[in-house]
């Protein structure tokens, strides 16, 4: 998965920005994968992070407000008002800003509010104009056919979107991981289902 992300990231320099959707159940390693990918490029990119939270009343634009606080400037100023078009435009401008290319990480989109999904759709149609790599993670087992996120993803242009589903460890990989920690593998795969967090 790291190698695949690397290939997609390299392609943004010549073909324009991309949106990568990393999916899988809770504990499958979405955040660990993205964290390691960004860590390997910490000197050559500008990384921005935002996350959605499981709140009873989700904060509108939650992950983008986080990003705005990280970068300040025009994006932060735009989020202080209620003009959606200004927020949309400022977000694209931030991704296209000269200098180091941007990796924008949006985590746990299965908890996203409608306003966040609107920005996602807006970016999806314009990401190719930048050199940015937008990485979005979500729990695929929580996104049913009528989930708002599913509808939003269906509106994204296919040529700018890549999907990277994460699957459980195999029984052999589970045994190898246990062995590397000096632990017995007996019954571990059956108990964990190969989910890396539980392993």
């Amino acid at each position: 998965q790291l190698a695949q992300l690397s290939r997609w990231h390299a392609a943004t320099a010549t073909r324009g920005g991309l949106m990568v959707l990393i999916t899988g159940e809770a504990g499958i390693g979405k955040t660990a994968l993205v964290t390691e990918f960004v860590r390997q490029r910490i000197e050559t990119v500008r990384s921005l992070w935002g996350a959605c939270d499981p709140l009873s009343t989700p904060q509108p634009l939650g992950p983008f407000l986080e990003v705005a606080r990280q970068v300040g400037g025009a994006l932060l100023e735009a989020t202080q008002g209620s003009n959606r078009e200004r927020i949309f435009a400022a977000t694209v401008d931030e991704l296209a800003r000269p200098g180091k290319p941007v990796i924008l990480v949006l985590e746990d989109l299965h908890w996203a509010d409608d306003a966040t999904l609107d920005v996602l759709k807006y970016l999806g149609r314009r990401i190719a104009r930048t050199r940015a790599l937008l990485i979005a993670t979500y729990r695929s087992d929580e996104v049913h056919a009528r989930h708002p996120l599913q509808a939003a993803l269906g509106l994204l242009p296919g040529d700018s979107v890549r999907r990277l589903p994460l699957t459980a460890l195999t029984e052999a990989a589970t045994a190898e991981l246990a062995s590397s920690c000096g632990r017995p593998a007996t019954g571990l795969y059956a108990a964990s289902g190969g989910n890396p967090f539980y392993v």
Side-chain angles (χ1 to χ4, degrees), residues 1 3 43 67 72 75 83 86 91 93 96 102-103 109-110 132 135 145 155 164 167 169 171 176 178 183 186 197-198:
Q1 289 92 348
E43 301 296 330
V67 170
L75 181 56
N83 187 319
R86 190 177 172 203
T91 304
D93 289 346
V102 173
I103 296 178
L109 281 184
H110 50 281
I135 301 176
L155 296 173
L164 188 61
T167 57
L169 299 172
E171 188 168 1
E176 182 180 338
R183 309 289 287 205
T186 306
F197 178 79
Y198 294 118

Side-chain angles (χ1 to χ4, degrees), residues 12-46:
T12 62
T14 54
R15 70 168 310 281
L18 286 172
M19 185 179 295
V20 176
L21 307 176
I22 299 180
T23 63
E25 63 182 332
I28 205 69
K30 299 181 293 295
T31 299
L33 172 64
V34 177
T35 300
E36 176 60 18
F37 175 73
V38 173
R39 186 195 66 77
Q40 293 178 1
R41 290 156 181 78
I42 200 66
E43 301 296 330
T44 58
V45 303
R46 190 161 56 97

Side-chain angles (χ1 to χ4, degrees), residues 30-85:
K30 299 181 293 295
T31 299
L33 172 64
V34 177
T35 300
E36 176 60 18
F37 175 73
V38 173
R39 186 195 66 77
Q40 293 178 1
R41 290 156 181 78
I42 200 66
E43 301 296 330
T44 58
V45 303
R46 190 161 56 97
S47 61
L48 305 174
W49 296 73
C52 303
D53 297 297
L55 305 176
S56 300
T57 306
Q59 182 181 28
L61 298 172
F64 292 103
L65 295 179
E66 271 190 79
V67 170
R69 288 192 291 270
Q70 292 166 46
V71 301
L75 181 56
L76 182 60
E77 187 178 327
T79 60
Q80 306 305 307
S82 57
N83 187 319
R84 291 184 0 140
E85 288 72 22

